Amino acid sequence: YFGSKEGLLIACIVRCRAELYDRTKAATEGATDPKEMYWRGLLTYFEFIDDHAPAYAMLAHEPMVLTATADALEATRRQQVGLIAPLLTALAPHASAATAEAYAEIIIGAGERLGLWRLRHPEVTAADAARHMMQFSWYGLASALEEDPGEGGSRAR
C-alpha cells in the first residue's frame, strides 16, 4: 500500500500532522483570551506527544531518519507555523508578519526541545510541561509582541 517502509512512516507522519493540527486548532478556538489560547495550544501539544510517545521518541532523533521522512517532519513544523503565526498576529496586529513567523518558530523549537526533555523525565506531565513553557515564554512573548519594532526600527514602550 505504501511502497516501502519509508512510505509507511511518511503516511504515519502525515496522519499525525493532520491530527495535531485538528486538535491544536480546536483547542485554541475555544479560548476566551490570548493567554488562554496560548495555554490551550501548549497543553494540547504536550498531550499529543503523550498520546504518540513511542513515535515521538523515534522521530525526535531526526538525524537518524531518511531525507523524505525529514521533509515530512519539516512539513509538520511548517503547518504549525501556519497555525501559530496568524494567532500571534491576531494577538498583536501591529507586529510584522516576519516577527509573528519568527516567534512561531521559536515556540515550535522550544516545544520540541521540552518534549525531548520529557522523554528523559517521564514523571513530568503534559500539564507540567505546558506550565513550564507558559511560565518561561508568556510574558516575554506578550512583551515582545507589544513592542515589536517591525522591519528595521525600534519602538518605544
Side-chain angles (χ1 to χ4, degrees):
Y1 291 111
F2 301 102
S4 67
K5 289 179 185 177
E6 183 180 28
L8 175 60
L9 182 56
I10 291 169
C12 291
I13 292 169
V14 168
R15 184 175 179 178
C16 283
R17 178 186 321 143
E19 182 184 344
L20 176 60
Y21 180 84
D22 291 344
R23 286 173 61 173
T24 306
K25 189 169 180 1
T28 58
E29 285 175 347
T32 58
D33 62 54
K35 189 173 182 180
E36 182 185 2
M37 175 190 67
Y38 188 52
W39 167 255
R40 286 179 173 216
L42 291 173
L43 183 58
T44 299
Y45 173 74
F46 291 112
E47 288 173 343
F48 180 85
I49 290 175
D50 283 351
D51 293 345
H52 299 83
Y56 184 80
M58 181 190 69
L59 295 173
H61 302 292
E62 201 173 309
M64 299 184 317
V65 300
L66 304 168
T67 301
T69 306
D71 291 345
L73 293 172
E74 185 58 26
T76 302
R77 292 182 188 106
R78 299 279 59 75
Q79 169 192 278
Q80 292 307 106
V81 167
L83 179 64
I84 296 168
L87 296 175
L88 296 176
T89 300
L91 173 62
H94 64 277
S96 69
T99 296
E101 186 175 339
Y103 291 170
E105 291 281 354
I106 292 166
I107 291 166
I108 290 165
E112 287 182 8
R113 291 304 309 172
L114 191 54
L116 287 170
W117 176 78
R118 283 188 66 220
L119 293 176
R120 296 187 311 274
H121 298 276
E123 72 281 3
V124 177
T125 67
D128 291 337
R131 197 171 8 271
H132 289 316
M133 182 84 163
M134 185 81 179
Q135 288 171 342
F136 180 79
S137 62
W138 173 251
Y139 294 104
L141 178 63
S143 174
L145 286 171
E146 180 181 301
E147 61 185 55
D148 172 38
E151 304 294 327
S154 64
R155 184 172 149 170
R157 282 188 179 226

